[in-house]
Amino acid sequence: MIYYTYTYSTVHQTITRKLITSRSIASHQPILSCPIDAEPLDRYKVGGYHPTTLGCILANGRYKILHKLGWGGYSTVWVARDQREETYVAVKICVSEGGNDRKLQVLDILRRLTSKHSSRLHVMRMLHHFDVDGPNGTHRCLVLELLGPSIPDVIETRFRDGRLPGHVAKEVVKQALLGLDILHDQEIAHGDLHTRNLTFGIAPIDNMPEREFIRILGKPEIGHVHRNDGKCLEPGIPEYIVRPARTYSLPLSNTIKIIDFGESFSLQNVPRTLHTPLAVRAPEVIFQDRLDYRVDLWSLGCMLFELFVGQPPFDSVFTTPEILVSQMHEIINETLPERWLDRWETMRGGAIMESSGPRLQEWLEEVYFDGEKKKDMTMEDIVKLG
């Protein structure tokens, strides 16, 4: 999966990561520990992560690694200085195992879109890509524009009541719709649309000296990796792990961008399923129906609800597909398409699930107006949203 996200730990205490699995014991692989809580150490193996160090130079001297932005199941993401263009960028270093060709194809399309829509584009840009060889294999590296924190991260650090002010939410929604319209105009589905995949842009910083730039991000905190048996680390394991930077400290712009295209697809390459978070997953995915770019519309509706009222419309904890479909029916009160009925009967196991909760408009009003969060939108605004 190829995606771009700025994930940073909110846990400030030191946590020792010890990875012990039956597989590692059976194969006598080394048991590793590190005082930094970050990406799993057992992913540093052949086919997995590339061991990356601060100050290393990639792509024949072009990109200097300065800090870490985050990680995912299929990549680590780093802040770098493009020494040829004299700009700050993000470099996503993917795991060396295969399966990324479809994602790269979509990102190439987005790069061409960028040149057509210039600064009005509200979609993350890919600037360059290259491969790097390492002890764990050959890794595809994507050079992406450097962006700020996600919407939930901004809410967490700047808005104590847990939701955006109404005027900010309206602007975020407007720009997200513009970005999605560009994708759908090309019949490209995002496939993973939710608030964590909306980020703020940053103000121009390319002329900022490296020392000042790193000061804003926070001095990199590293934790050395050790083998618990005292032996030397193998070549594919990094000497140390870096805690992700504080991207919320960067000077933010008013631009909103859609990021993370790991689930994206075109009509020429439609996947069998998507891995969108369950709380915002479209029913077409749940019922294994044919997918196209319109699958984003359901996730968009869920995202709008969350942006304005401060929580998703459906439960996001301990939710199963069966519970989610029941909640959908309860809130929206529409009959399922006939082609889904047989599968629904199988999913619910013959149990009768009655609808007794509030409908969508009632639920919007209840969540927005009942509570301690600041209310700066009118009932008319909430009615329009419904």
Side-chain angles (χ1 to χ4, degrees):
M1 181 183 297
I2 298 175
Y3 64 97
Y4 178 40
T5 181
Y6 293 113
T7 305
Y8 53 86
S9 176
T10 58
V11 180
H12 298 290
Q13 75 262 29
T14 299
I15 302 176
T16 300
R17 176 180 293 270
K18 294 184 178 180
L19 299 167
I20 305 177
T21 65
S22 58
R23 180 180 177 185
S24 66
I25 293 174
S27 59
H28 304 290
Q29 293 179 358
I31 300 173
L32 306 172
S33 64
C34 176
I36 295 293
D37 182 39
E39 69 269 21
L41 297 175
D42 62 354
R43 292 288 281 153
Y44 283 102
K45 60 184 179 182
V46 175
Y49 294 140
H50 176 64
T52 306
T53 56
L54 298 171
C56 72
I57 307 296
L58 303 177
N60 297 318
R62 180 169 177 179
Y63 301 107
K64 178 183 177 183
I65 299 297
L66 302 178
H67 212 315
K68 185 183 190 177
L69 286 174
W71 74 92
Y74 298 91
S75 67
T76 56
V77 189
W78 303 81
V79 184
R81 180 70 174 178
D82 183 341
Q83 299 185 119
R84 190 182 79 181
E85 300 295 330
E86 298 185 341
T87 58
Y88 292 107
V89 297
V91 177
K92 175 185 285 296
I93 306 177
C94 301
V95 296
S96 59
E97 60 191 13
N100 291 322
D101 290 341
R102 179 173 62 84
K103 283 81 172 182
L104 183 59
Q105 179 183 5
V106 173
L107 289 173
D108 280 332
I109 293 173
L110 296 179
R111 184 174 58 177
R112 293 196 297 270
L113 285 173
T114 298
S115 63
K116 295 180 180 179
H117 294 272
S118 65
S119 61
R120 296 188 62 185
L121 185 66
H122 295 287
V123 175
M124 173 206 71
R125 293 181 297 147
M126 186 177 74
L127 310 174
H128 183 214
H129 64 85
F130 60 93
D131 290 339
V132 61
D133 292 324
N136 293 331
T138 299
H139 306 260
R140 179 156 290 156
C141 301
L142 309 179
V143 181
L144 309 162
E145 64 177 319
L146 183 62
L147 297 174
S150 69
I151 297 298
D153 290 337
V154 170
I155 292 174
E156 181 181 347
T157 56
R158 302 193 180 191
F159 301 103
R160 293 184 178 179
D161 67 349
R163 69 181 173 202
L164 296 171
H167 71 281
V168 177
K170 289 178 181 179
E171 187 58 33
V172 169
V173 167
K174 177 183 176 181
Q175 295 190 45
L177 287 171
L178 289 171
L180 193 61
D181 183 62
I182 290 169
L183 292 174
H184 287 189
D185 184 60
Q186 301 295 316
E187 297 186 332
I188 298 172
H190 182 273
D192 196 18
L193 197 63
H194 52 85
T195 55
R196 283 213 168 271
N197 284 338
L198 295 181
T199 69
F200 281 88
I202 59 175
I205 57 169
D206 290 329
N207 293 329
M208 183 181 294
E210 281 185 22
R211 181 176 297 179
E212 175 65 13
F213 177 68
I214 293 175
R215 186 191 67 79
I216 292 175
L217 286 177
K219 181 180 178 180
E221 180 184 352
I222 67 172
H224 287 274
V225 179
H226 300 279
R227 274 179 54 144
N228 294 337
D229 58 8
K231 296 181 180 180
C232 296
L233 298 175
E234 296 183 353
I237 300 171
E239 177 186 350
Y240 56 82
I241 296 294
V242 183
R243 192 184 297 281
R246 304 189 305 259
T247 57
Y248 55 84
S249 299
L250 291 170
L252 304 185
S253 71
N254 294 322
T255 302
I256 299 298
K257 299 250 183 176
I258 299 175
I259 65 169
D260 189 346
F261 292 87
E263 296 290 315
S264 298
F265 63 92
S266 64
L267 292 180
Q268 289 72 43
N269 198 352
V270 179
R272 295 184 61 182
T273 190
L274 295 171
H275 302 90
T276 319
L278 188 56
V280 297
R281 190 174 300 174
E284 288 86 353
V285 180
I286 295 173
F287 287 103
Q288 299 181 356
D289 205 345
R290 178 169 174 80
L291 307 178
D292 61 31
Y293 63 92
R294 290 170 294 185
V295 74
D296 291 332
L297 300 181
W298 179 271
S299 299
L300 174 64
C302 296
M303 188 176 71
L304 296 183
F305 189 107
E306 182 177 354
L307 286 171
F308 282 105
V309 307
Q311 70 177 59
F314 306 111
D315 290 340
S316 57
V317 181
F318 304 120
T319 296
T320 65
E322 296 80 12
I323 293 174
L324 180 61
V325 173
S326 297
Q327 291 177 351
M328 291 176 179
H329 185 262
E330 186 174 29
I331 291 177
I332 299 174
N333 195 30
E334 292 185 4
T335 304
L336 291 177
E338 186 174 350
R339 64 184 184 277
W340 295 350
L341 292 180
D342 288 344
R343 184 167 185 84
W344 174 231
E345 288 296 325
T346 302
M347 288 173 62
R348 70 180 186 175
I352 299 175
M353 299 182 178
E354 298 180 353
S355 298
S356 58
R359 303 303 181 216
L360 178 60
Q361 186 59 45
E362 297 172 358
W363 185 228
L364 269 171
E365 296 171 10
E366 180 179 331
V367 175
Y368 186 80
F369 291 109
D370 294 347
E372 299 179 355
K373 295 181 179 181
K374 184 177 179 181
K375 306 167 185 63
D376 58 357
M377 295 176 62
T378 67
M379 178 63 76
E380 182 180 0
D381 291 329
I382 298 302
V383 169
K384 289 180 180 178
L385 178 60

